[in-house]
Short mmCIF file of all heavy atoms in Angstrom, two decimals:
data_model
loop_
_atom_site.label_atom_id
_atom_site.label_comp_id
_atom_site.label_asym_id
_atom_site.label_seq_id
_atom_site.Cartn_x
_atom_site.Cartn_y
_atom_site.Cartn_z
N PHE A 286 -2.29 3.16 12.23
CA PHE A 286 -2.39 1.89 11.53
C PHE A 286 -2.67 0.76 12.51
O PHE A 286 -2.25 0.80 13.66
CB PHE A 286 -1.08 1.58 10.78
CG PHE A 286 -0.78 2.55 9.69
CD1 PHE A 286 0.01 3.66 9.94
CD2 PHE A 286 -1.29 2.38 8.42
CE1 PHE A 286 0.29 4.57 8.94
CE2 PHE A 286 -1.02 3.28 7.41
CZ PHE A 286 -0.23 4.39 7.67
N GLU A 287 -3.36 -0.27 11.98
CA GLU A 287 -3.58 -1.49 12.75
C GLU A 287 -3.65 -2.66 11.78
O GLU A 287 -3.79 -2.47 10.57
CB GLU A 287 -4.87 -1.41 13.58
CG GLU A 287 -6.13 -1.45 12.75
CD GLU A 287 -7.40 -1.48 13.59
OE1 GLU A 287 -7.36 -1.09 14.77
OE2 GLU A 287 -8.45 -1.89 13.04
N TRP A 288 -3.51 -3.86 12.32
CA TRP A 288 -3.62 -5.08 11.53
C TRP A 288 -3.74 -6.26 12.46
O TRP A 288 -3.47 -6.17 13.66
CB TRP A 288 -2.41 -5.28 10.62
CG TRP A 288 -1.09 -5.17 11.33
CD1 TRP A 288 -0.48 -6.12 12.11
CD2 TRP A 288 -0.23 -4.03 11.36
NE1 TRP A 288 0.71 -5.65 12.59
CE2 TRP A 288 0.89 -4.35 12.15
CE3 TRP A 288 -0.28 -2.76 10.78
CZ2 TRP A 288 1.93 -3.47 12.38
CZ3 TRP A 288 0.75 -1.88 11.01
CH2 TRP A 288 1.84 -2.24 11.79
N ASP A 289 -4.15 -7.36 11.89
CA ASP A 289 -4.21 -8.63 12.60
C ASP A 289 -2.80 -9.22 12.60
O ASP A 289 -2.20 -9.39 11.53
CB ASP A 289 -5.20 -9.56 11.89
CG ASP A 289 -5.29 -10.92 12.55
OD1 ASP A 289 -4.35 -11.73 12.36
OD2 ASP A 289 -6.28 -11.17 13.24
N GLU A 290 -2.26 -9.51 13.76
CA GLU A 290 -0.88 -9.97 13.85
C GLU A 290 -0.69 -11.34 13.19
O GLU A 290 0.36 -11.60 12.60
CB GLU A 290 -0.40 -10.00 15.30
CG GLU A 290 1.10 -10.04 15.45
CD GLU A 290 1.83 -8.91 14.71
OE1 GLU A 290 1.45 -7.74 14.81
OE2 GLU A 290 2.81 -9.22 13.99
N ASN A 291 -1.68 -12.21 13.27
CA ASN A 291 -1.59 -13.51 12.58
C ASN A 291 -1.52 -13.30 11.07
O ASN A 291 -0.76 -13.98 10.38
CB ASN A 291 -2.77 -14.41 12.94
CG ASN A 291 -2.71 -14.89 14.38
OD1 ASN A 291 -1.63 -15.07 14.95
ND2 ASN A 291 -3.87 -15.07 14.99
N LYS A 292 -2.30 -12.36 10.56
CA LYS A 292 -2.29 -12.04 9.13
C LYS A 292 -0.93 -11.45 8.75
O LYS A 292 -0.39 -11.75 7.68
CB LYS A 292 -3.42 -11.06 8.83
CG LYS A 292 -3.61 -10.75 7.41
CD LYS A 292 -4.84 -11.43 6.89
CE LYS A 292 -5.10 -10.92 5.50
NZ LYS A 292 -5.62 -11.91 4.62
N ASN A 293 -0.37 -10.62 9.60
CA ASN A 293 0.96 -10.04 9.36
C ASN A 293 2.02 -11.14 9.26
O ASN A 293 2.84 -11.14 8.35
CB ASN A 293 1.30 -9.05 10.47
CG ASN A 293 2.60 -8.31 10.25
OD1 ASN A 293 3.16 -8.26 9.15
ND2 ASN A 293 3.11 -7.69 11.30
N ASN A 294 1.97 -12.08 10.18
CA ASN A 294 2.94 -13.18 10.17
C ASN A 294 2.79 -14.02 8.90
O ASN A 294 3.78 -14.39 8.27
CB ASN A 294 2.79 -14.06 11.41
CG ASN A 294 3.23 -13.34 12.67
OD1 ASN A 294 4.07 -12.44 12.62
ND2 ASN A 294 2.64 -13.71 13.79
N ALA A 295 1.54 -14.31 8.51
CA ALA A 295 1.29 -15.09 7.30
C ALA A 295 1.75 -14.33 6.07
O ALA A 295 2.33 -14.91 5.14
CB ALA A 295 -0.20 -15.43 7.18
N ASN A 296 1.55 -13.01 6.06
CA ASN A 296 1.96 -12.17 4.93
C ASN A 296 3.50 -12.17 4.81
O ASN A 296 4.04 -12.23 3.71
CB ASN A 296 1.44 -10.74 5.12
CG ASN A 296 1.53 -9.93 3.86
OD1 ASN A 296 0.64 -10.01 3.00
ND2 ASN A 296 2.58 -9.14 3.70
N GLN A 297 4.18 -12.12 5.94
CA GLN A 297 5.65 -12.14 5.93
C GLN A 297 6.18 -13.45 5.37
O GLN A 297 7.14 -13.46 4.60
CB GLN A 297 6.20 -11.92 7.33
CG GLN A 297 6.03 -10.49 7.81
CD GLN A 297 6.54 -10.30 9.21
OE1 GLN A 297 7.71 -10.52 9.48
NE2 GLN A 297 5.66 -9.90 10.13
N LYS A 298 5.53 -14.55 5.72
CA LYS A 298 5.96 -15.85 5.20
C LYS A 298 5.70 -15.95 3.70
O LYS A 298 6.54 -16.45 2.95
CB LYS A 298 5.24 -16.98 5.93
CG LYS A 298 5.73 -17.18 7.34
CD LYS A 298 4.96 -18.28 8.05
CE LYS A 298 5.42 -18.36 9.50
NZ LYS A 298 4.56 -19.22 10.30
N LYS A 299 4.54 -15.47 3.26
CA LYS A 299 4.16 -15.60 1.85
C LYS A 299 4.84 -14.57 0.96
O LYS A 299 5.34 -14.90 -0.11
CB LYS A 299 2.64 -15.48 1.73
CG LYS A 299 2.13 -15.68 0.31
CD LYS A 299 0.62 -15.66 0.27
CE LYS A 299 0.14 -15.93 -1.15
NZ LYS A 299 -1.32 -15.94 -1.23
N HIS A 300 4.86 -13.31 1.39
CA HIS A 300 5.33 -12.22 0.53
C HIS A 300 6.63 -11.56 0.98
O HIS A 300 7.15 -10.67 0.31
CB HIS A 300 4.26 -11.13 0.41
CG HIS A 300 2.97 -11.62 -0.16
ND1 HIS A 300 2.84 -12.04 -1.47
CD2 HIS A 300 1.74 -11.77 0.40
CE1 HIS A 300 1.60 -12.40 -1.70
NE2 HIS A 300 0.90 -12.27 -0.58
N LYS A 301 7.14 -11.96 2.16
CA LYS A 301 8.40 -11.41 2.70
C LYS A 301 8.32 -9.91 2.99
O LYS A 301 9.32 -9.21 2.92
CB LYS A 301 9.58 -11.67 1.74
CG LYS A 301 9.71 -13.11 1.27
CD LYS A 301 10.09 -14.03 2.40
CE LYS A 301 10.42 -15.41 1.88
NZ LYS A 301 9.48 -16.44 2.24
#
Side-chain angles (χ1 to χ4, degrees):
F286 296 93
E287 70 176 21
W288 51 79
D289 178 285
E290 198 54 48
N291 291 328
K292 186 106 172 144
N293 185 17
N294 291 333
N296 195 83
Q297 288 178 60
K298 287 178 185 170
K299 183 175 182 179
H300 300 292
K301 310 292 189 249

